[in-house]
Amino acid sequence: MQKKENTDITETKTVNYEEMAAQAELEAESDEVASVRREVLDNEEDATDGEDENRFRVDFFKEYEFDNDVEKQKIKSIDLSGLLDLTTVDGEKFDRILVKLGHRPPNKFVDITYCKHVAMHVTNLPAEFFNMLSMRDMLQVVGAVHGYFLFG
């Protein structure tokens, strides 16, 4: 029985940048043709205009009337920009809340209870408000919180 030598062969591939640019142009043209109804912005600056101001706003599908013992409020959207101010201490607090509730979700960042407590903290709205939301609207909140933790 003969042993084979273990030789490490590394191939270097030369890149033809002109061919790569031509291929990219073709793909961009085909995407443009396939996406006739979609608005394609020319540069990234246009894509982010106005996005930051609405990035943390969650618009609900319906308006909620909420009595906070001071006044009745009609709430159609909430602002989650307080997510930017969260600290490690806040994260530990949220984790301790889940432990006290006996709730250990496999992925807390998509868990309704976890996201509800994060949203309560950053909006200063009580649990009662979030408990009255329709499932569809609460999933909007969960998506916004998850998106922030996932993409920053």
Side-chain angles (χ1 to χ4, degrees), residues 11-95:
E11 287 185 30
T12 53
K13 185 177 179 181
T14 58
V15 178
N16 184 339
Y17 290 103
E18 290 174 9
E19 184 179 308
M20 184 187 297
Q23 182 65 30
E25 190 174 332
L26 281 173
E27 287 182 24
E29 286 175 13
S30 67
D31 186 34
E32 197 172 296
V33 169
S35 307
V36 172
R37 293 190 178 128
R38 184 182 69 172
E39 181 182 337
V40 180
L41 302 172
D42 290 336
N43 60 33
E44 284 186 31
E45 287 178 17
D46 291 343
T48 58
D49 283 351
E51 184 179 307
D52 287 339
E53 65 189 46
N54 292 330
R55 178 175 168 206
F56 297 106
R57 181 177 163 175
V58 176
D59 294 317
F60 296 133
F61 291 97
K62 67 180 191 177
E63 185 174 71
Y64 294 92
E65 191 170 298
F66 179 69
D67 187 2
N68 63 2
D69 294 331
V70 177
E71 64 179 329
K72 284 190 177 187
Q73 297 175 308
K74 291 188 178 192
I75 301 174
K76 180 73 176 144
S77 65
I78 58 173
D79 178 17
L80 296 176
S81 60
L83 289 168
L84 295 169
D85 300 325
L86 291 176
T87 65
T88 302
V89 173
D90 295 323
E92 290 173 345
K93 176 185 158 190
F94 302 141
D95 289 343

Coordinates of all heavy atoms in Angstrom, one line a residue, residues 11-95:
E11 N -4.3 27.4 -6.7 CA -4.4 28.0 -8.0 C -4.7 29.5 -7.9 O -5.5 29.9 -7.0 CB -5.6 27.4 -8.8 CG -5.3 26.0 -9.3 CD -6.4 25.5 -10.2 OE1 -7.1 26.3 -10.8 OE2 -6.7 24.3 -10.2
T12 N -4.1 30.3 -8.7 CA -4.4 31.7 -8.7 C -5.2 32.0 -10.0 O -4.8 31.5 -11.1 CB -3.1 32.6 -8.7 OG1 -2.3 32.2 -9.7 CG2 -2.4 32.5 -7.4
K13 N -6.3 32.6 -9.8 CA -7.1 32.9 -10.9 C -7.0 34.4 -11.3 O -7.0 35.3 -10.4 CB -8.6 32.6 -10.5 CG -9.6 32.8 -11.6 CD -10.9 32.4 -11.1 CE -11.9 32.6 -12.3 NZ -13.3 32.3 -11.8
T14 N -6.8 34.6 -12.5 CA -6.6 36.0 -12.9 C -8.0 36.6 -13.2 O -8.9 35.9 -13.7 CB -5.8 36.2 -14.2 OG1 -6.4 35.4 -15.2 CG2 -4.3 35.7 -13.9
V15 N -8.2 37.8 -12.8 CA -9.5 38.4 -13.0 C -9.5 39.4 -14.1 O -8.6 40.3 -14.2 CB -9.9 39.2 -11.7 CG1 -11.2 39.8 -11.8 CG2 -9.9 38.2 -10.5
N16 N -10.4 39.3 -15.0 CA -10.5 40.2 -16.1 C -11.6 41.2 -15.7 O -12.8 41.0 -15.8 CB -10.9 39.5 -17.4 CG -11.0 40.4 -18.6 OD1 -11.1 41.6 -18.5 ND2 -10.9 39.8 -19.8
Y17 N -11.1 42.4 -15.3 CA -12.0 43.4 -14.8 C -12.9 44.0 -15.8 O -14.0 44.4 -15.5 CB -11.2 44.5 -14.1 CG -10.5 44.0 -12.8 CD1 -9.2 43.7 -12.7 CD2 -11.3 43.9 -11.7 CE1 -8.6 43.3 -11.6 CE2 -10.8 43.4 -10.5 CZ -9.4 43.1 -10.4 OH -8.8 42.6 -9.3
E18 N -12.4 44.1 -17.1 CA -13.3 44.6 -18.1 C -14.5 43.6 -18.4 O -15.6 44.1 -18.5 CB -12.5 44.7 -19.4 CG -11.5 45.9 -19.4 CD -10.6 45.9 -20.6 OE1 -10.8 45.2 -21.6 OE2 -9.6 46.7 -20.6
E19 N -14.2 42.3 -18.3 CA -15.2 41.3 -18.5 C -16.2 41.4 -17.3 O -17.4 41.3 -17.5 CB -14.6 39.9 -18.6 CG -15.6 38.8 -18.8 CD -14.9 37.5 -18.9 OE1 -14.0 37.4 -19.7 OE2 -15.4 36.6 -18.2
M20 N -15.7 41.6 -16.1 CA -16.5 41.7 -14.9 C -17.4 42.9 -15.0 O -18.6 42.9 -14.7 CB -15.6 41.8 -13.7 CG -16.4 41.8 -12.4 SD -15.4 42.1 -10.9 CE -14.3 40.7 -10.9
A21 N -16.9 44.1 -15.5 CA -17.7 45.3 -15.6 C -18.8 45.1 -16.6 O -19.9 45.6 -16.5 CB -16.8 46.5 -16.0
A22 N -18.4 44.4 -17.7 CA -19.4 44.2 -18.8 C -20.5 43.3 -18.3 O -21.7 43.5 -18.6 CB -18.7 43.6 -20.0
Q23 N -20.2 42.3 -17.5 CA -21.2 41.4 -16.9 C -22.1 42.1 -15.9 O -23.3 41.9 -15.9 CB -20.5 40.2 -16.2 CG -21.4 39.2 -15.7 CD -22.2 38.4 -16.7 OE1 -21.8 38.3 -17.9 NE2 -23.4 38.0 -16.4
A24 N -21.5 43.0 -15.1 CA -22.2 43.7 -14.2 C -23.2 44.7 -14.9 O -24.4 44.8 -14.4 CB -21.3 44.5 -13.3
E25 N -22.8 45.3 -16.0 CA -23.6 46.1 -16.7 C -24.8 45.4 -17.3 O -26.0 45.8 -17.3 CB -22.9 46.8 -17.8 CG -23.6 47.9 -18.5 CD -22.8 48.7 -19.5 OE1 -21.5 48.8 -19.3 OE2 -23.4 49.3 -20.5
L26 N -24.5 44.2 -17.8 CA -25.6 43.3 -18.4 C -26.6 43.0 -17.3 O -27.8 43.0 -17.5 CB -25.0 42.1 -19.0 CG -24.4 42.2 -20.4 CD1 -23.7 40.9 -20.8 CD2 -25.5 42.6 -21.4
E27 N -26.1 42.6 -16.2 CA -27.0 42.2 -15.1 C -27.9 43.4 -14.6 O -29.0 43.2 -14.3 CB -26.2 41.6 -13.9 CG -25.7 40.2 -14.2 CD -24.9 39.6 -13.1 OE1 -25.2 40.0 -11.9 OE2 -24.1 38.7 -13.3
A28 N -27.3 44.5 -14.5 CA -28.0 45.7 -14.1 C -29.1 46.1 -15.1 O -30.2 46.4 -14.8 CB -27.0 46.9 -14.0
E29 N -28.8 45.9 -16.4 CA -29.8 46.2 -17.5 C -30.9 45.2 -17.4 O -32.1 45.6 -17.5 CB -29.1 46.2 -18.8 CG -28.3 47.4 -19.1 CD -27.5 47.3 -20.5 OE1 -27.8 46.4 -21.3 OE2 -26.6 48.1 -20.7
S30 N -30.6 43.9 -17.2 CA -31.6 42.9 -17.1 C -32.5 43.1 -15.9 O -33.7 42.9 -15.9 CB -31.0 41.5 -17.1 OG -30.3 41.3 -15.9
D31 N -31.9 43.6 -14.8 CA -32.7 43.9 -13.6 C -33.6 45.1 -13.8 O -34.8 45.1 -13.4 CB -31.8 44.1 -12.4 CG -32.5 44.3 -11.1 OD1 -33.6 43.6 -10.9 OD2 -32.1 45.1 -10.2
E32 N -33.1 46.0 -14.5 CA -33.9 47.2 -14.8 C -35.1 46.8 -15.7 O -36.2 47.3 -15.5 CB -33.0 48.3 -15.6 CG -33.6 49.6 -15.6 CD -32.7 50.7 -16.1 OE1 -31.6 50.9 -15.5 OE2 -32.9 51.2 -17.2
V33 N -34.9 46.0 -16.7 CA -36.0 45.5 -17.5 C -37.0 44.7 -16.7 O -38.2 44.8 -16.9 CB -35.4 44.7 -18.7 CG1 -36.5 44.0 -19.5 CG2 -34.6 45.6 -19.6
A34 N -36.5 43.8 -15.9 CA -37.4 43.0 -15.1 C -38.1 43.7 -14.0 O -39.1 43.3 -13.5 CB -36.6 41.9 -14.4
S35 N -37.6 44.9 -13.6 CA -38.2 45.7 -12.6 C -38.8 47.0 -13.1 O -38.6 48.1 -12.5 CB -37.2 46.0 -11.5 OG -36.5 44.8 -11.1
V36 N -39.5 47.0 -14.1 CA -40.0 48.2 -14.8 C -40.9 49.0 -13.8 O -40.7 50.2 -13.8 CB -40.9 47.8 -16.0 CG1 -41.6 49.0 -16.6 CG2 -40.0 47.2 -17.1
R37 N -41.7 48.4 -13.0 CA -42.6 49.1 -12.1 C -41.9 49.6 -10.8 O -42.5 50.4 -10.1 CB -43.8 48.3 -11.8 CG -44.7 48.1 -13.0 CD -46.0 47.5 -12.6 NE -46.8 47.4 -13.8 CZ -47.4 46.3 -14.2 NH1 -47.3 45.2 -13.5 NH2 -48.1 46.2 -15.3
R38 N -40.8 49.0 -10.5 CA -40.1 49.4 -9.3 C -39.2 50.6 -9.5 O -38.5 50.7 -10.5 CB -39.2 48.2 -8.9 CG -38.5 48.4 -7.6 CD -37.6 47.3 -7.2 NE -36.5 47.3 -8.2 CZ -35.4 46.5 -8.1 NH1 -35.4 45.7 -7.1 NH2 -34.5 46.6 -8.9
E39 N -39.2 51.5 -8.6 CA -38.4 52.7 -8.7 C -37.0 52.4 -8.3 O -36.7 51.9 -7.2 CB -38.9 53.8 -7.8 CG -38.1 55.1 -7.9 CD -38.7 56.2 -7.0 OE1 -39.8 56.1 -6.7 OE2 -37.9 57.1 -6.7
V40 N -36.0 52.5 -9.2 CA -34.6 52.2 -8.9 C -33.9 53.6 -8.8 O -33.9 54.4 -9.7 CB -34.0 51.4 -10.0 CG1 -32.5 51.1 -9.7 CG2 -34.7 50.1 -10.2
L41 N -33.3 53.8 -7.6 CA -32.6 55.1 -7.4 C -31.2 55.0 -7.9 O -30.6 54.0 -7.9 CB -32.6 55.4 -5.8 CG -34.0 55.4 -5.2 CD1 -33.9 55.5 -3.7 CD2 -34.8 56.6 -5.8
D42 N -30.8 56.2 -8.4 CA -29.4 56.2 -9.1 C -28.3 56.1 -8.1 O -27.2 55.6 -8.4 CB -29.3 57.5 -9.9 CG -30.2 57.5 -11.1 OD1 -30.5 56.4 -11.5 OD2 -30.5 58.5 -11.6
N43 N -28.4 56.6 -6.9 CA -27.3 56.5 -6.0 C -27.8 56.3 -4.6 O -29.0 56.4 -4.3 CB -26.4 57.8 -6.0 CG -27.2 59.0 -5.7 OD1 -28.1 59.0 -4.9 ND2 -26.8 60.1 -6.3
E44 N -26.9 55.9 -3.7 CA -27.3 55.6 -2.3 C -27.8 56.8 -1.5 O -28.6 56.7 -0.6 CB -26.1 55.0 -1.6 CG -25.8 53.6 -2.0 CD -24.7 52.9 -1.1 OE1 -24.6 53.3 0.0 OE2 -24.0 52.1 -1.7
E45 N -27.3 58.0 -1.8 CA -27.8 59.2 -1.1 C -29.3 59.3 -1.3 O -30.0 59.7 -0.3 CB -27.0 60.4 -1.6 CG -25.6 60.5 -1.1 CD -24.9 61.7 -1.7 OE1 -25.5 62.7 -2.1 OE2 -23.6 61.7 -1.6
D46 N -29.8 59.1 -2.5 CA -31.2 59.2 -2.7 C -32.0 58.2 -2.0 O -33.1 58.4 -1.5 CB -31.5 59.1 -4.2 CG -31.0 60.3 -5.0 OD1 -30.7 61.3 -4.4 OD2 -30.9 60.1 -6.3
A47 N -31.3 57.0 -1.8 CA -32.0 55.9 -1.2 C -32.2 56.1 0.3 O -33.1 55.6 0.9 CB -31.2 54.6 -1.4
T48 N -31.3 56.9 0.9 CA -31.4 57.1 2.4 C -32.1 58.5 2.7 O -32.3 58.7 3.9 CB -30.0 57.1 3.0 OG1 -29.2 58.1 2.4 CG2 -29.4 55.8 2.9
D49 N -32.4 59.3 1.8 CA -33.1 60.5 2.1 C -34.4 60.3 2.8 O -35.3 59.5 2.3 CB -33.4 61.3 0.8 CG -32.1 62.0 0.3 OD1 -31.1 62.0 1.0 OD2 -32.2 62.6 -0.9
G50 N -34.6 60.8 3.9 CA -35.9 60.7 4.7 C -36.0 59.4 5.4 O -36.9 59.2 6.1
E51 N -35.1 58.4 5.1 CA -35.2 57.1 5.8 C -34.9 57.2 7.2 O -35.6 56.5 8.0 CB -34.2 56.1 5.1 CG -34.3 54.7 5.6 CD -33.4 53.8 4.9 OE1 -33.4 53.8 3.6 OE2 -32.6 53.1 5.5
D52 N -33.9 58.0 7.6 CA -33.5 58.1 9.0 C -34.7 58.6 9.9 O -34.9 58.2 11.0 CB -32.3 58.9 9.2 CG -31.1 58.2 8.7 OD1 -31.1 57.0 8.6 OD2 -30.1 58.9 8.4
E53 N -35.4 59.6 9.4 CA -36.5 60.2 10.2 C -37.6 59.2 10.4 O -38.3 59.3 11.4 CB -37.0 61.5 9.6 CG -37.7 61.3 8.2 CD -37.9 62.6 7.5 OE1 -37.1 63.5 7.5 OE2 -39.1 62.8 7.0
N54 N -37.9 58.3 9.5 CA -39.0 57.4 9.7 C -38.5 56.0 10.0 O -39.3 55.1 10.2 CB -39.8 57.3 8.4 CG -40.5 58.6 8.1 OD1 -40.9 59.3 9.0 ND2 -40.7 58.9 6.8
R55 N -37.3 55.8 10.2 CA -36.7 54.5 10.4 C -37.2 53.8 11.7 O -37.4 52.6 11.7 CB -35.2 54.6 10.5 CG -34.4 53.4 10.7 CD -33.0 53.6 10.7 NE -32.3 52.4 11.2 CZ -31.1 52.4 11.8 NH1 -30.5 53.5 11.8 NH2 -30.6 51.3 12.2
F56 N -37.5 54.6 12.7 CA -37.9 54.0 14.0 C -39.4 54.2 14.2 O -39.9 54.0 15.3 CB -37.1 54.7 15.1 CG -35.6 54.3 15.0 CD1 -34.7 55.3 14.6 CD2 -35.2 53.1 15.3 CE1 -33.4 55.0 14.5 CE2 -33.8 52.7 15.2 CZ -32.9 53.7 14.8
R57 N -40.1 54.7 13.3 CA -41.5 55.0 13.4 C -42.3 53.7 13.0 O -42.0 53.2 11.9 CB -41.9 56.1 12.6 CG -43.4 56.5 12.7 CD -43.7 57.7 11.9 NE -45.1 57.7 11.7 CZ -45.7 58.7 11.1 NH1 -45.0 59.8 10.6 NH2 -47.0 58.7 10.9
V58 N -43.2 53.3 13.8 CA -44.0 52.1 13.5 C -45.4 52.6 13.3 O -46.0 53.2 14.3 CB -44.0 51.1 14.6 CG1 -44.9 49.9 14.3 CG2 -42.6 50.5 14.8
D59 N -45.9 52.5 12.1 CA -47.3 52.9 11.8 C -48.2 51.7 12.0 O -48.0 50.7 11.4 CB -47.4 53.5 10.4 CG -46.6 54.8 10.2 OD1 -46.7 55.6 11.0 OD2 -45.9 54.9 9.2
F60 N -49.3 51.9 12.8 CA -50.2 50.9 13.0 C -51.3 50.8 11.9 O -51.5 51.8 11.2 CB -50.9 51.0 14.4 CG -50.0 51.0 15.5 CD1 -50.0 51.9 16.5 CD2 -49.0 49.9 15.6 CE1 -49.2 51.8 17.6 CE2 -48.2 49.9 16.7 CZ -48.2 50.8 17.7
F61 N -51.9 49.7 11.8 CA -52.9 49.5 10.8 C -54.2 50.1 11.2 O -55.1 50.4 10.4 CB -53.1 48.0 10.5 CG -51.9 47.4 9.7 CD1 -51.0 46.7 10.4 CD2 -51.8 47.6 8.4 CE1 -49.9 46.2 9.8 CE2 -50.7 47.0 7.7 CZ -49.7 46.4 8.4
K62 N -54.4 50.3 12.5 CA -55.6 51.0 13.0 C -55.2 52.0 14.1 O -54.1 51.9 14.6 CB -56.6 50.1 13.4 CG -56.3 49.2 14.6 CD -57.5 48.3 15.0 CE -57.3 47.7 16.3 NZ -58.4 46.8 16.7
E63 N -56.0 52.9 14.4 CA -55.8 53.8 15.5 C -56.3 53.3 16.8 O -57.4 52.7 16.9 CB -56.5 55.2 15.2 CG -56.2 56.3 16.2 CD -56.8 57.6 15.7 OE1 -58.0 57.7 15.8 OE2 -56.0 58.5 15.3
Y64 N -55.5 53.5 17.9 CA -55.9 53.0 19.2 C -56.2 54.1 20.1 O -55.4 55.1 20.2 CB -54.7 52.1 19.8 CG -54.5 50.9 19.0 CD1 -53.6 50.8 18.0 CD2 -55.2 49.7 19.3 CE1 -53.4 49.7 17.2 CE2 -55.0 48.5 18.5 CZ -54.1 48.5 17.5 OH -53.9 47.4 16.8
E65 N -57.2 54.0 20.9 CA -57.6 55.0 21.9 C -57.1 54.4 23.3 O -57.5 53.3 23.7 CB -59.1 55.2 22.0 CG -59.4 56.4 22.8 CD -60.9 56.8 22.6 OE1 -61.3 57.2 21.5 OE2 -61.6 56.8 23.7
F66 N -56.2 55.1 23.9 CA -55.6 54.6 25.1 C -55.8 55.7 26.2 O -55.4 56.9 26.0 CB -54.1 54.3 24.9 CG -53.4 53.8 26.1 CD1 -53.7 52.6 26.6 CD2 -52.5 54.6 26.7 CE1 -53.1 52.1 27.8 CE2 -51.8 54.2 27.9 CZ -52.1 52.9 28.4
D67 N -56.3 55.3 27.4 CA -56.5 56.1 28.5 C -55.3 55.9 29.5 O -55.2 54.8 30.1 CB -57.8 55.8 29.2 CG -58.1 56.8 30.3 OD1 -57.3 57.8 30.5 OD2 -59.2 56.7 30.9
N68 N -54.5 56.9 29.7 CA -53.3 56.7 30.6 C -53.5 57.4 31.9 O -52.6 57.8 32.6 CB -52.0 57.4 29.9 CG -52.2 58.8 29.7 OD1 -53.2 59.5 30.1 ND2 -51.1 59.4 29.1
D69 N -54.8 57.4 32.4 CA -55.2 58.0 33.7 C -55.1 59.5 33.7 O -55.4 60.1 34.7 CB -54.5 57.3 34.8 CG -54.9 55.9 35.0 OD1 -56.0 55.5 34.6 OD2 -54.0 55.1 35.5
V70 N -54.5 60.1 32.8 CA -54.4 61.6 32.7 C -55.3 62.1 31.6 O -56.0 63.1 31.8 CB -52.9 62.0 32.5 CG1 -52.8 63.5 32.4 CG2 -52.0 61.5 33.6
E71 N -55.1 61.5 30.5 CA -55.9 61.9 29.3 C -56.1 60.7 28.4 O -55.3 59.8 28.4 CB -55.3 63.1 28.6 CG -53.9 62.7 28.0 CD -53.3 63.8 27.2 OE1 -54.0 64.6 26.6 OE2 -52.0 63.8 27.2
K72 N -57.1 60.8 27.5 CA -57.3 59.8 26.5 C -56.4 60.2 25.3 O -56.5 61.3 24.8 CB -58.7 59.7 26.1 CG -59.6 58.9 27.1 CD -60.9 58.6 26.5 CE -61.7 57.8 27.6 NZ -62.9 57.3 27.0
Q73 N -55.6 59.3 24.8 CA -54.8 59.5 23.6 C -55.3 58.6 22.5 O -55.7 57.5 22.7 CB -53.3 59.1 23.9 CG -52.7 59.9 25.0 CD -51.3 59.4 25.3 OE1 -51.1 58.2 25.5 NE2 -50.3 60.3 25.2
K74 N -55.2 59.2 21.3 CA -55.4 58.4 20.1 C -54.0 58.1 19.5 O -53.3 59.1 19.1 CB -56.3 59.1 19.1 CG -57.7 59.2 19.7 CD -58.7 59.7 18.6 CE -60.1 59.7 19.2 NZ -61.1 59.9 18.2
I75 N -53.6 56.9 19.4 CA -52.3 56.6 18.9 C -52.4 55.8 17.6 O -53.0 54.7 17.6 CB -51.5 55.8 20.0 CG1 -51.4 56.6 21.3 CG2 -50.1 55.4 19.5 CD1 -50.8 55.9 22.4
K76 N -51.8 56.3 16.6 CA -51.8 55.7 15.3 C -50.4 55.2 14.9 O -50.2 54.3 14.1 CB -52.2 56.7 14.2 CG -52.2 56.2 12.8 CD -53.4 55.3 12.6 CE -53.4 54.9 11.1 NZ -53.8 53.5 10.8
S77 N -49.3 55.7 15.7 CA -48.0 55.2 15.4 C -47.2 55.5 16.7 O -47.6 56.2 17.6 CB -47.4 56.0 14.2 OG -47.2 57.3 14.5
I78 N -46.0 54.8 16.8 CA -45.1 55.0 17.9 C -43.7 55.2 17.3 O -43.4 54.8 16.2 CB -45.1 53.8 18.9 CG1 -44.7 52.5 18.2 CG2 -46.4 53.7 19.6 CD1 -44.5 51.3 19.2
D79 N -42.9 55.9 18.1 CA -41.5 56.2 17.8 C -40.6 55.3 18.6 O -40.6 55.5 19.8 CB -41.3 57.7 18.0 CG -39.8 58.1 17.7 OD1 -39.1 57.3 17.0 OD2 -39.4 59.2 18.1
L80 N -39.8 54.5 18.0 CA -38.9 53.6 18.7 C -37.5 54.1 18.6 O -36.5 53.3 18.8 CB -39.0 52.2 18.1 CG -40.3 51.5 18.3 CD1 -40.3 50.1 17.6 CD2 -40.6 51.3 19.7
S81 N -37.3 55.4 18.4 CA -35.9 55.9 18.3 C -35.1 55.8 19.6 O -33.9 55.9 19.6 CB -35.9 57.4 17.8 OG -36.6 58.2 18.7
G82 N -35.8 55.6 20.7 CA -35.1 55.3 21.9 C -34.3 54.1 21.9 O -33.4 53.9 22.8
L83 N -34.4 53.2 20.9 CA -33.6 52.0 20.7 C -32.1 52.4 20.6 O -31.2 51.7 21.1 CB -34.0 51.2 19.5 CG -35.3 50.5 19.5 CD1 -35.7 50.0 18.1 CD2 -35.2 49.3 20.5
L84 N -31.9 53.6 20.1 CA -30.5 54.1 19.9 C -29.8 54.4 21.3 O -28.6 54.4 21.4 CB -30.5 55.4 19.1 CG -30.9 55.2 17.6 CD1 -31.1 56.6 17.0 CD2 -29.9 54.4 16.9
D85 N -30.6 54.6 22.3 CA -30.1 54.9 23.6 C -30.0 53.8 24.6 O -29.6 53.9 25.7 CB -31.0 56.0 24.3 CG -31.0 57.3 23.4 OD1 -30.0 57.6 22.8 OD2 -32.1 57.9 23.4
L86 N -30.3 52.6 24.1 CA -30.3 51.4 25.0 C -28.8 51.1 25.4 O -27.9 51.3 24.7 CB -30.9 50.2 24.3 CG -32.4 50.2 24.1 CD1 -32.8 49.0 23.3 CD2 -33.1 50.3 25.4
T87 N -28.7 50.7 26.7 CA -27.4 50.3 27.2 C -27.3 48.8 27.6 O -28.4 48.1 27.6 CB -27.1 51.2 28.4 OG1 -28.0 50.8 29.5 CG2 -27.2 52.7 28.2
T88 N -26.2 48.4 28.0 CA -26.0 47.0 28.5 C -26.9 46.8 29.7 O -27.5 45.7 29.8 CB -24.5 46.8 28.8 OG1 -23.7 47.0 27.7 CG2 -24.3 45.4 29.3
V89 N -27.0 47.8 30.6 CA -27.8 47.6 31.7 C -29.3 47.4 31.3 O -30.0 46.6 31.9 CB -27.7 48.9 32.6 CG1 -28.7 48.9 33.8 CG2 -26.3 49.0 33.1
D90 N -29.7 48.1 30.3 CA -31.1 47.9 29.8 C -31.3 46.4 29.3 O -32.3 45.8 29.6 CB -31.4 48.8 28.7 CG -31.5 50.3 29.1 OD1 -31.9 50.6 30.2 OD2 -31.0 51.2 28.3
G91 N -30.3 46.0 28.6 CA -30.3 44.6 28.1 C -30.4 43.6 29.2 O -31.2 42.6 29.1
E92 N -29.6 43.8 30.3 CA -29.7 42.9 31.4 C -31.0 43.0 32.1 O -31.6 42.0 32.6 CB -28.6 43.3 32.4 CG -27.2 43.0 31.9 CD -26.1 43.5 32.9 OE1 -26.4 44.4 33.7 OE2 -25.0 43.1 32.7
K93 N -31.6 44.2 32.2 CA -32.9 44.3 32.8 C -34.0 43.5 32.0 O -34.8 42.8 32.6 CB -33.3 45.8 32.8 CG -34.7 46.1 33.2 CD -35.0 47.6 33.1 CE -36.5 47.8 33.1 NZ -36.9 49.2 32.7
F94 N -33.9 43.6 30.6 CA -34.9 42.9 29.8 C -34.7 41.4 30.0 O -35.7 40.6 30.1 CB -34.7 43.2 28.3 CG -34.9 44.6 28.0 CD1 -34.1 45.3 27.1 CD2 -35.9 45.4 28.6 CE1 -34.2 46.6 26.7 CE2 -36.0 46.8 28.3 CZ -35.2 47.4 27.4
D95 N -33.5 40.9 30.1 CA -33.2 39.5 30.4 C -33.8 39.0 31.7 O -34.3 38.0 31.9 CB -31.7 39.2 30.3 CG -31.2 39.2 28.8 OD1 -32.0 39.2 27.9 OD2 -30.0 39.3 28.7

